[in-house]
Amino acid sequence: AQSVSQHNHHVILSEAASLELGCNYSYGGTVNLFWYVQYPGQHLQLLLKYFSGDPLVKGIKGFEAEFIKSKFSFNLRKPSVQWSDTAEYFCAVILSNTGKLIFGQGTTLQVKP
Amino acid sequence: DVKVTQSSRYLVKRTGEKVFLECVQDMDHENMFWYRQDPGLGLRLIYFSYDVKMKEKGDIPEGYSVSREKKERFSLILESASTNQTSMYLCASSTGTATMNTEAFFGQGTRLTVV
């Protein structure tokens, strides 16, 4: 069955540390890829998306992600995190055959000031 | 702007009640989704509809059913609510498939408490 896996469930970093959150999906066809963020008590917000072309995509708030097709991965990165980045992050995939949208289980990021 | 509207922000229902959660989108999207969100479990797909009267089970369909009689409306039904269905429920819609560079749009969520 198609699925999305996020490797880290809970990440704790100090401010100014670099961030990389892993995301892998299991599906052989064309995908659209997304990272969402949910700040405490708030709704889901789209961080960035990949459809095609340059595999390195830039999103809001200094986040970027790299699509590596051979590894079925779409890892999220930020060079220097801030306390305000404390949130839950979700990787998601839309499948080409059905249009189904599948989420990973999420990664909780805690940034210590 | 795309608008996905869920009928209620908060609901409190009793065990055994039949519960209807309604979702309406205004962009003529083919696809609609129902998820539940629980701490530590992320967003789990309950049901997915890719056309009127067409549906597909997601990862956790047990205890739920859905109805899509019109393209703009997708209803989630809890036939007999139980306390383990207390959760945040999110509706989303999108157009087409990944070959069409599509993305999803979300409703504001319904927090359901079953007592």
Side-chain angles (χ1 to χ4, degrees):
Chain A
Q2 303 98 351
S3 64
V4 178
S5 296
Q6 293 182 235
H7 312 304
N8 316 98
H9 292 164
H10 197 165
V11 173
I12 302 173
L13 295 173
S14 298
E15 276 194 314
S18 64
L19 170 72
E20 181 159 1
L21 301 183
C23 173
N24 285 89
Y25 63 93
S26 60
Y27 179 70
T30 302
V31 292
N32 291 348
L33 297 157
F34 308 88
W35 277 97
Y36 291 88
V37 60
Q38 189 171 34
Y39 299 102
Q42 296 190 24
H43 304 309
L44 276 177
Q45 180 179 355
L46 182 66
L47 264 182
L48 47 78
K49 58 190 176 187
Y50 173 80
F51 293 152
S52 63
D54 188 343
L56 185 63
V57 292
K58 295 191 183 301
I60 61 171
K61 302 178 189 283
F63 286 91
E64 65 180 30
E66 184 176 14
F67 172 50
I68 302 179
K69 190 174 182 180
S70 60
K71 295 184 177 180
F72 301 93
S73 70
F74 189 55
N75 292 353
L76 181 71
R77 299 195 290 246
K78 187 172 184 179
S80 176
V81 295
Q82 301 172 314
W83 177 78
S84 58
D85 293 323
T86 294
E88 191 158 17
Y89 293 81
F90 296 96
C91 180
V93 170
I94 288 181
L95 310 180
S96 62
N97 58 345
T98 61
K100 185 187 288 188
L101 171 63
I102 303 173
F103 283 83
Q105 64 271 54
T107 297
T108 300
L109 172 65
Q110 183 182 351
V111 180
K112 295 184 174 180
Chain B
D1 281 352
V2 175
K3 196 168 183 183
V4 180
T5 304
Q6 295 182 227
S7 53
S8 304
R9 292 293 302 274
Y10 300 95
L11 274 179
V12 180
K13 296 291 181 181
R14 294 196 181 276
T15 301
E17 275 194 78
K18 190 169 186 176
V19 181
F20 293 86
L21 302 183
E22 307 286 346
C23 177
V24 177
Q25 50 94 3
D26 65 358
M27 282 301 291
D28 200 36
H29 283 170
E30 294 85 359
N31 304 323
M32 296 189 74
F33 309 83
W34 274 108
Y35 299 89
R36 63 177 282 177
Q37 184 177 10
D38 301 287
L41 298 176
L43 280 79
R44 294 179 292 168
L45 181 64
I46 305 171
Y47 268 98
F48 160 50
S49 171
Y50 50 92
D51 203 348
V52 174
K53 299 193 178 183
M54 305 303 288
K55 62 186 179 185
E56 187 175 310
K57 291 181 180 179
D59 297 323
I60 51 164
E62 297 79 16
Y64 303 94
S65 62
V66 289
S67 172
R68 192 158 180 211
E69 296 295 319
K70 293 185 177 181
K71 194 174 186 180
E72 67 270 18
R73 185 181 296 271
F74 191 35
S75 303
L76 180 69
I77 303 154
L78 287 66
E79 296 290 342
S80 177
S82 63
T83 54
N84 63 13
Q85 292 178 309
T86 292
S87 186
M88 171 68 83
Y89 290 86
L90 283 172
C91 175
S93 74
S94 71
T95 186
T97 64
T99 53
M100 297 171 62
N101 291 352
T102 184
E103 65 178 278
F105 297 86
F106 289 85
Q108 74 276 31
T110 297
R111 183 160 297 280
L112 172 68
T113 302
V114 182
V115 298

